[in-house]
Amino acid sequence: MEADHSGETADYIPELASADPDRLAVAICTEDGRLYSQGDSDVAFSIQSISKPFVYALALADRGFDAVMEKVSVEPSGDAFNEISFEAGTGRPLNPMINAGAIAAHTLAGPSGATPQERTSRIIDGLSAFAGRRLTVDSAVYESEIATAYRNRALANMLRANEIIEGEPLDAVTGYTRQCSLLVTVDDLALMAATLANRGVNPLTGAPVVPAEVVRQVLSVMATCGMYDGAGHWMTNVGIPAKSGVAGGVIGALPGQVGIATFSPRLDRHGNSVRGVDLFRRFTSEMGLHLMEVPPPGPSVVRGRRIVGTGDDAVQVVSLQGRIRFAGAERVLRELEDDPLTAKRVAISLARVATIGPVGRRMLLEALRRLTLDGHDVYLIDPDGVLPDPDPGDGGRVTVVAGHDDIVR
Ligand code: GLN
């Protein structure tokens, strides 16, 4: 890996062209905030396009989905990051990961009517909350990029002409370029990515940065558009929602598991870090991190049934286990229908259930309701309260107990 010297540092931003091309760093942050890093993890570099998903997240949180969608779509463009491309008819940028969409998203952070300075402050504060520490702008990188940002200025002018952004286009480019010049280390980026992996809550500081619905949207866009015209190969080979930046950073956020960041300045023709892409490939193959890799089926959600007690006291107990989402709950309903319970008194035991998702909850309550309507006395054994306030509604009745001893007197 260290021996791979292919690719070039970004040369259109002079300050980046002069970066030490042989730097290499990687950091992984778990969903509960434990950070592991290796190599040049204390070297700070500019965040560049890795800021885009985070600023998109802030825009969604601040303005709502409809207002943002009206200005920036979510279709992979298959174009290079700096392509001058807009959707026919609407004039919207195709997605917030290419520069056109990112400049538009920049103007949507903060409340409507915010001044350019207020907008940029909101973005620096927001990205700092993702990183769990105060981030600062590298003014040398900023000056170096803004001096020659003719292409981004062209994009901003087009956005203004298309009525996608309001105000002075140059303000949008200035703010966007500042956002791209924020200094980060791989440790910062891994924590920022872990915040996305952790439903928008910073796992180290515990701060809720953006709502979970926003994270779902951002990760979906990262998965389909994060690696530009390399996005399809990225998703099939690596399979982690990701974003790259021209200073050489790459982040990946694997929902519910980890945030990962790499840094190595030499770039491939898409503007993605050569060694970063290679490292991510290895994470997938050696650590099984591909999003679409489904673990082998675990034991059935329905652990078994048994009769506890005798005579009038007898209770037929159905024990469930694991995490119950749609497919697990479907299994419960199906088994109860295919092989109906026979005792008068029945209990569903959740003692070994870890979590129940919202859909699993609705379906389990429906199972309890049907059992009541079929004439059973229905108990729910729920010592850990994994199904709080179980009200099956509509004729359903259930008595919650901590164990079957509470039913069999
Ligand atoms: N600031 C850079 C630009 O706008 C960001 C590009 C990138 O990192 N891909 O060109």
Side-chain angles (χ1 to χ4, degrees), residues 198-223:
N198 189 39
R199 299 161 57 92
V201 175
N202 184 310
L204 209 60
T205 65
V209 184
V210 289
E213 313 82 79
V214 164
V215 170
R216 189 182 90 161
Q217 176 84 357
V218 171
L219 290 177
S220 305
V221 172
M222 285 168 69

Side-chain angles (χ1 to χ4, degrees), residues 18 25 29 33 66 71 105 117 135 140 144 146 173 181 183 201 274 280 323 334 337 340 344 355 361 365 383 399 405:
S18 62
C29 183
D66 291 347
K71 303 295 185 188
Q117 290 72 18
L135 301 178
S144 167
I146 199 71
V173 179
S181 307
L183 279 172
V201 175
V274 174
F280 268 89
R323 293 168 184 255
R334 175 155 44 104
E337 191 171 312
K344 166 83 174 153
T355 55
R361 175 186 168 89
L365 290 177
T399 307
D405 295 349

Side-chain angles (χ1 to χ4, degrees), residues 16 53 57 66 69 83 162 210 215 284 287 290 292 304 317 321 361 375:
L16 297 185
D66 291 347
M69 187 59 88
E83 193 63 33
N162 293 353
V210 289
V215 170
T284 291
M287 292 153 71
H290 197 297
M292 301 304 176
V317 182
Q321 62 187 356
R361 175 186 168 89

